[in-house]
Each structure stands twice: as C-alpha cells, then as structure tokens.
Amino acid sequence: MKKIAIFAKVHDPRCLGVAEELVTWLEARGLEPVVEAHLARHLKFEPGTEPERIPDSADLVVVLGGDGTLISVARLIGERQVPILGVNLGSLGFLTEITLDEMYPALERCIAGNFQVSERMMLKTEVTREGEVISSHQVLNDVVINKGALARIIDLETSVDDYHLTTFKADGLIISSPTGSTGYSLAAAGPIVHPALDCLVITPICPHTLTNRPVVVDAGARISIILRSMNEDVFLTLDGQVGMELKAGDRIMIRRAEHRTRLVISQSKDYFEVLRTKLKWGER
C-alpha cells in the first residue's frame, strides 16, 4: 500500500488533530496521504482530493470519527471495495471498532499486508414512480420508510420475491442489512444479526397490529414495498443520511448489492466483545 486516503468528521476538533498527525506520520514513512478535499481545507493541506475521485486513487481508506462518517464513506467507495479502517472517535462505534491507541499498529499491519477484513453486505435500493426509476442507491445499514411528524399511520404493501407478505399499517418500515441490524432496526425491537450472515431484516415501526413482528429473509430475496397511503407525508431515508419524499403508488425495491464493504477489523477484540461493550451487557 502506497496511497492512504483520509476522511474525518471535520466539525470535531479532535478528529482534525488526529488527521493532521496522521498526515505527518504517513509522509515520514514515504507514503502518500490522499486527503479528502473538505478535510484538506480545514487542515490547510494541499492538494486535497475530491471525494468521488478517492476510490480510484487509494489503496486504503482511514476514517476518523464515528459510524455515521464511516457509513457515508462506505457508500462512496462502492464497487471499488477499497479496505476501510474505521477509527472510533465518536460515542458508540459498532463499525469504527479500531481505537485511537490501536490506529498506528493497525496501519502498520495494513501497509505490510498483514490484516483481516470483515466483508459487509450492502443493499441496493430503487424507487419507481409511474413505471420509471427515479432514484437508485446502495447503502450499508438500512432503508427506512417513515411517516412525517403530523401524518397518520401509513399503509405499506410488502412482498418478498413476488409473494405477498402483508400490508403493514405502521409508522414506517425498516429494511436493514446484518450490519444495520444494530442501528434503527434494533431500536424498533428488531433482532441483532451477526454481520457474517447473508440476510435481510424487515422491521415494522410501531405497527398498529401488535402481532406484526420483524421478519428475516434470505439475502437473495427481492423486497418490494408499495406506498398505498394517500395525502400523507412519507419519506424514504437511506443510511439515515440521504432522503427523498415519496408519493402514493411509489414502489421501493430492495435487494442485496453485488459488492460488499470491506472493513479492517481489530485484532484485539471480536464482534461479541464489541456488542458487550457498546450495549453494556453484564453491567448492573
């Protein structure tokens, strides 16, 4: 590895300080830091690199911040599948599991080619309106259909592989990947799914029918959701970061993406330790 890209949460002074130190560390070892343009302006580092050019110009991506920053970078990297080393400078951090103390040893292993990755399934989402695809995205965590603040419960006709599942009457619906199972889906009483599994999780948000429960389906399934509610404010949110307003009759198609996100994993902890730590299991 010769070119190391750096993304950071630019509004966090701590992240900026670590990024500045990292640039110096890389240059001292004869490596080329590829600094994302917005971050470069904050560091007064020239030249910065526009985000969309980074996947084709980096051998490794370092993300300084929290899970939100890493999720946005994962969508950007897309099919290039460049390994991502997430350094946790946020609060929770299910994905950015490398601590600041572990960062430089982990970087040295990556540069030497002695590292392991966790390959995470991504979701491909298409919105069709009147027979035309109007939006297409690939996400790491989840696809959420949610009612507006003043809207009534909404009707979401849901099918799996052309088989009718049900019409959810609820505040909304979450379709999550295994990685996203510890996000919004977990808060809506969805299951925790190990990230090595290939599956999709369908979790209703505050369903009007109390017997509606989360459903786990095969990763090869195609999930179709049609908004049947009229005159309600309904929104589609992708990874909690990208969104659009939906209209009655819109169809949302969700399936497994062809590529995966590759996350560099810590050699000092496993997934279950991350769960115990982040969710404070076993503590009184």
Side-chain angles (χ1 to χ4, degrees):
M1 292 186 175
K2 298 296 183 182
K3 297 182 178 181
I4 313 298
I6 306 173
F7 287 82
K9 189 175 182 179
V10 296
H11 300 298
D12 186 332
R14 187 183 181 202
C15 290
L16 293 178
V18 173
E20 190 169 19
E21 293 175 2
L22 178 56
V23 168
T24 302
W25 187 89
L26 292 171
E27 290 179 331
R29 284 155 180 77
L31 301 170
E32 180 181 344
V34 181
V35 182
E36 184 270 328
H38 195 198
L39 173 61
R41 288 192 289 271
H42 279 75
L43 298 181
K44 297 181 173 55
F45 176 89
E46 296 296 340
T49 302
E50 293 302 320
E52 60 273 12
R53 292 178 51 203
I54 286 179
D56 293 321
S57 59
D59 303 311
L60 174 72
V61 175
V62 179
V63 178
L64 307 172
D67 284 357
T69 310
L70 188 147
I71 288 169
S72 65
V73 172
R75 289 199 309 276
L76 175 71
I77 296 302
E79 61 188 23
R80 283 285 287 108
Q81 297 184 287
V82 180
I84 301 173
L85 193 156
V87 181
N88 183 20
L89 296 173
S91 55
L92 194 57
F94 278 100
L95 299 176
T96 49
E97 64 179 53
I98 305 294
T99 66
L100 185 57
D101 290 339
E102 293 176 311
M103 181 178 73
Y104 289 116
L107 271 170
E108 289 174 343
R109 288 193 298 271
C110 289
I111 293 165
N114 180 27
F115 66 99
Q116 293 180 311
V117 297
S118 173
E119 295 198 349
R120 303 296 183 93
M121 189 183 88
M122 298 190 75
L123 307 178
K124 182 174 182 179
T125 305
E126 292 182 343
V127 180
T128 302
R129 179 174 296 164
E130 297 178 353
E132 179 184 354
V133 176
I134 62 170
S135 175
S136 180
H137 294 272
Q138 303 203 41
V139 301
L140 177 60
N141 254 18
D142 52 34
V143 178
V144 179
I145 303 167
N146 215 339
K147 71 181 184 66
L150 300 179
R152 294 168 294 185
I153 61 174
I154 54 179
D155 294 345
L156 299 166
E157 181 183 320
T158 305
S159 300
V160 178
D161 284 337
D162 298 324
Y163 294 99
H164 180 62
L165 175 60
T166 189
T167 296
F168 289 101
K169 295 180 180 293
D171 283 357
L173 194 62
I174 305 164
I175 310 298
S176 74
S177 67
T179 297
S181 71
T182 51
Y184 194 2
S185 177
L186 180 61
I192 294 175
V193 180
H194 193 282
L197 295 178
D198 269 5
C199 62
L200 302 170
V201 182
I202 305 171
T203 307
I205 304 170
C206 298
H208 184 66
T209 303
L210 298 180
T211 53
N212 278 153
R213 288 293 181 265
V215 178
V216 180
V217 299
D218 181 79
R222 294 174 292 109
I223 299 174
S224 170
I225 304 163
I226 301 176
L227 176 61
R228 292 303 187 191
S229 297
M230 305 290 291
N231 303 318
E232 299 292 345
D233 293 330
V234 182
F235 299 90
L236 177 72
T237 306
L238 308 167
D239 277 344
Q241 298 176 342
V242 177
M244 63 176 290
E245 187 173 1
L246 296 175
K247 295 183 178 180
D250 284 356
R251 181 190 294 269
I252 302 93
M253 294 290 297
I254 303 157
R255 63 182 185 274
R256 176 176 54 191
E258 294 181 359
H259 64 272
R260 296 172 178 264
T261 291
R262 305 177 69 220
L263 302 180
V264 177
I265 61 176
S266 170
Q267 292 191 349
S268 65
K269 63 176 75 73
D270 58 42
Y271 177 72
F272 298 109
E273 182 178 346
V274 172
L275 279 184
R276 290 195 304 273
T277 302
K278 302 305 181 182
L279 299 180
K280 301 186 184 300
W281 285 349
E283 297 184 16
R284 291 178 180 265

